[in-house]
Structure formats: C-alpha cells, structure tokens
Amino acid sequence: MEAVKSYDNSANAIGYSVYYYANDMRKARGLKILSVDGVEPNADTIRAKKYPHLNAYYCVIGEEEPEDSPVRKMYEWFMTKEGQELVLSEGYIATGEPEKLSETIKSGETVKTDYTYYVKNTLPEDKFTRLEEGPMNSLKARDDYGTLYPYVGGYLFSDDGSYSYQAGSMNGFYDAKGRLVTDPVYSGIDIIGYNDSVTFEYKTIPFYRMSTADESGEKFKSTFASIDGKVVCDKTYDYVMGLKNRIFCINYALFDEEEGYAEDARDTFDIYDFDGNLVLNSEDVPWASSLYNVGDDYYVFQEVDKDFYYHYYLTDLAGKKILGPYEYIDGYQDGRAVVELGYKNGDILFNVVDLMDNRLFQETKTSVTRLKDGSFVVRNMSGQNELATKNGKVIKLLDDGFITATDFGFINQKQDSFIKCYNFEGELLFEDYFDSWYTAGEKGIIYSRKGAGIYIVDIMNDKQLYIEGAEDLSPFYNMDGMEDGRILRASNYYYDEAKGKSYMHNWILNENLDIIKDIKDCYIYMNTDHITGEKYYVIEKDVNDYEYYDLDFKQFGKYSTYYRIVGGQYMTDDEYGFTARDKDGNIVFRYNFVNSYDD
C-alpha cells in the first residue's frame, strides 16, 4: 500500500489494489479509498454486489463426493457461522451475514469449531522511521547519514510468476540511525568496482551504483552516490563504472535497428572525482569515443575512425594528448607504458615507452609482460624470452614459453607442460612437469591435478603437499602487509546418492600448508563486507544451518537463516521482508516487502 500511496506521476494520480489489502492490512498513512459511481467499497456493498468491481473466490469439490465425506463436510462447513467468521477474520467478505447463518451443515451433523490452534498469519512489525513523510523517490545528498545501507523492498514478478527486471524498482537506502532514506525506488544497488589495468586485480571504490529500469524493462539508467551519502550524482547514464580515482559515466550512441548508427553518432561521457566534481567530459576531448583505463595522473582514451579502426592515446588529466596513436596502451606505471605497435609477419609488435615517447627497447618485441617489481619479461623477434630491468637492460636469456607474472616473480610454461618458476632476479626456484598447473593467489603457491588429488607446491618455502580426493585449490584471503596471512581451500564436489543432494568436501590450509579444517557435507565460501572490507567465512551445512567464522576460523555466529554482512550489520530477506540486525541480534531495520506483478 505504501507503493500505491507514493505513486506520484501527476497531481491527480490514483492507485488501485484489492479490498483485502486496503481494508485489513496496515494502511499507508493518509490513504483515501474512493467511491465508484457513488458506491463506497465495504462489506455490505460488496456482499450485495452494489460495488461494481468484484472478484469472487470459489470453494469447489467434485460432484461425486459422498454426502458424509470429510471433503464435503469441510465444503459445507464454510457456509456455517463459524466458517463465514473465518472468512471474515482473514479480511475477505462473507457471502452471507454470519449471525443469520445456521450452525449445522446440510448433512445434519453438528460441526464443533475449535480455534485453539489457529493463528492468524500476521506480518512482523516494520522497524524504521521515515526521513520524510511524503514520497522519497531519490537519494538526496546530506552529511548526516553516517553510512548508507541498501535494503530490499520487494520483488517484481511477471504475469507468469517468474522474477522480472521490468520497471518497478524494489531497492532503497536506510541510514545508520535506522531511518528510511528512500522508498524502494531502484532496480538495483551495488558497490562500484574496477579492474586494475596493470595488476589485473579487481578493486572497489566507496560508491554505490543505483540503477532504474525504464517502462519496457529492457533498458536501465544508472547514477552513483558515495557510501556516506555526501555525494549524489543528479544525472543518469547508460552505465557507470569505477576507475582508480575517478568515476566514469557513459551514454551510448543511439542505434536504430533499420538505419543503424547515424554518421556522426558518438558515445558521450562524464568523468567525476570522488568529491562528485565533474573533471572531464566528452566535450573536452571531442576526438575520443571512450575511456579505456586510468592511472594516477593519466587517461588512456580510445579513438575510432570512420573505418572503425581503433587508436589509443595517453593524455593528461585535462585530456591533452601525450602519447599515441598506438594500437593499444596499457596503464601508465613507474614512468613507463606498454604499447602495441601493430603487426609484422603475423606477430603483434610491442615496446615500452616513457612520456617523451622514447622506446625502452631498440628492437620491437612480440610479447611484453610487466612484472610486479616493475621489471619486464619480453620475447624477442627470434622467439626467445628475455628478463629485463625496468630500465630495459637484459639480464638473463630464458627458454621460450608462455610467461605468467606472479607475486614471487614469474612462471615460464613450455608447450610440453614443463614449467620453471623464477624470482624477480631470474633465479630458478622450482621446475617440474605438470599436466596442468594453476596459481593459487599470492605467496608462491602453485598446484596441479595429479591422479585422484592435487599436488600443492609452496615455491617460496620449499614445501609440498598432496591431498587425495581434492580437485581444486583457491585462496581464501591474502591480506596486504601480512606475509603469513594466507588461507587456502582445497575442495571437491560430490553427490550423495542416499540423500539425493550435492555436497562439498573442504580442506582448509594455513600458511604452513597444514590442514586446519577438514569439513565434509557442506558448502563453505568467503564473503566480504564491502563497506568495512572485512572478510569472513560461511559454512552452509543445510538450508537452515549456517555457521560464520572470522579469518582465524573462530566461530562468531550460527543461524538458521543466511545472512550477508554489510557495514557490520547482518542482513537477510525472508518471505515477508528485509531485516538488518546488529552483532547482538537486535533488529536495527525492518522493511516489509511490497511485491508487484506485471498485470
């Protein structure tokens, strides 16, 4: 009913619902029920069929049911006084006035009615205060929210009962004081992140992306806001993405299915800093079609010519061209940028340049891999790999093979699956034949599937471990600045035929490759609180059995419902609504769902 009340498309807008919701459920404050042709909807006018918009509910049984069958007795009981009182108690309109109905059913047997075990289906109480009394259809920038938290306000379903992303918008914000900051007006709210173009790591920034679907449900427009609500963008875009220290917002060129793109069609974009200031837009760089990546003080823009040929330029923060055009430019770091020069005899050519466009290597390379210490592994025109310093001096010739940068140096894999692991100085740390090998995060861990298990190698500490039955190994967390902050999970999925369910076998390893947990018949995964950055484990033993652990594997919670932790609050959705609790289990915020349907 709040959604009906808050509909505000015009000065004379009205909404409609069913009498059961409007009459028996908690009304929105200020809701007025209108008469139709002078007839107000109430129990008497609906029962007498004077109110014109009616929808009957029927109780039906098979014609062949015997007169003394339990089904027929129940069917006839609904027309007794007690049966009609039950209909009334649930908010519906009885077909007759209960006080005038017979207390016996047609078969002549008296039915004893016992309400001892009957409990009316009631919703949990909402728990929040509204920031404003009227509709709150958008987030407004303020400096007193503290932290803003997203909540789920309900779901929109298609007429076939499936979930729909059509316009309807069922997400909103509340603040640290438990105040409702917006009604559920967004189709989606998520933390903004980006992929670092140099380290290839996914990172988040302290901003939300808020999306809203159009009436067709096929297109979405997005905007952004800081997690504390002090910065709110008042424009919408086709897409909003994060950068290292910027927010990039783009509107795509219009495309006509019959005509295609117009001759002068061009994407337009705006770039904001973290204070919400517009620092650059497409009018400042009219030649650019899109932003590709960004460093601390530089952008890489893409230009597309009339033949749809792509060129890349490195610019300063004002959009002035510094380097280019090149076929591609990676992120600028340590005074150098890796650039793609084109093709020669089927090979892609690369080099490394500084801001004056001076090339680091006299000869072009067919591959350049930037290592994490700023040095490079390059492949020369003869197909041989070379280890070079950040200044371009070749210090070691290597075997041919595919190069992968790692935290300890790099791995050289040959086609026959023979791998060699080196440190940054080019010293050989480990070599072996692996049928298939994988890195497992940081700290020098690699592994291979061998036989009925996995073979794990700690290259930095010369340790090895074989876990029979395991199929996969993944890092659970790698904390910056913690040399020993390494937790790994070996795992294997299996199917229990007796129970008819799939499960997971988990082996949890510490930094010494010691197995500290061996857990079967469950699922275990790591979650991150995207506001605080804290990580935690969830062990799901069954649909109603969840255990929560900190990074030291100390249990801090056991719940019958799955919770996600956001800003230190425990959030969950039940069949009625959304609830957020503090660590002591006290309800901080509760919002009952408003579900909607297309029809």
Side-chain angles (χ1 to χ4, degrees), residues 14-25:
I14 62 172
Y16 67 92
S17 184
V18 294
Y19 180 78
Y20 162 64
Y21 292 132
N23 185 59
D24 240 37
M25 294 180 70

Side-chain angles (χ1 to χ4, degrees), residues 44-146:
D44 293 333
T45 59
I46 292 174
R47 185 183 300 112
K49 299 183 179 180
K50 294 180 179 179
Y51 186 75
H53 302 298
L54 303 177
N55 185 23
Y57 286 83
Y58 298 93
C59 180
V60 179
I61 63 173
E63 185 180 7
E64 69 281 359
E65 285 291 338
E67 287 293 328
D68 60 348
S69 69
V71 174
R72 186 171 291 278
K73 288 182 179 180
M74 174 62 73
Y75 172 74
E76 294 176 343
W77 175 83
F78 270 110
M79 287 305 296
T80 67
K81 178 180 179 181
E82 288 81 3
Q84 291 293 289
E85 284 178 347
L86 176 61
V87 172
L88 288 171
S89 70
E90 286 300 298
Y92 297 94
I93 304 301
T95 58
E97 298 178 45
E99 62 274 11
K100 297 181 181 180
L101 292 168
S102 170
E103 296 188 8
T104 60
I105 60 176
K106 292 180 181 179
S107 63
E109 298 181 18
T110 301
V111 176
K112 182 179 180 180
T113 306
D114 184 0
Y115 288 104
T116 304
Y117 299 102
Y118 172 72
V119 178
K120 185 176 180 179
N121 185 15
T122 58
L123 290 173
E125 290 293 326
D126 284 328
K127 184 172 183 178
F128 59 82
T129 56
R130 293 182 64 86
L131 202 60
E132 298 176 7
E133 282 300 316
M136 296 184 291
N137 295 326
S138 63
L139 180 64
K140 299 176 182 177
R142 290 173 53 149
D143 59 6
D144 63 342
Y145 292 129

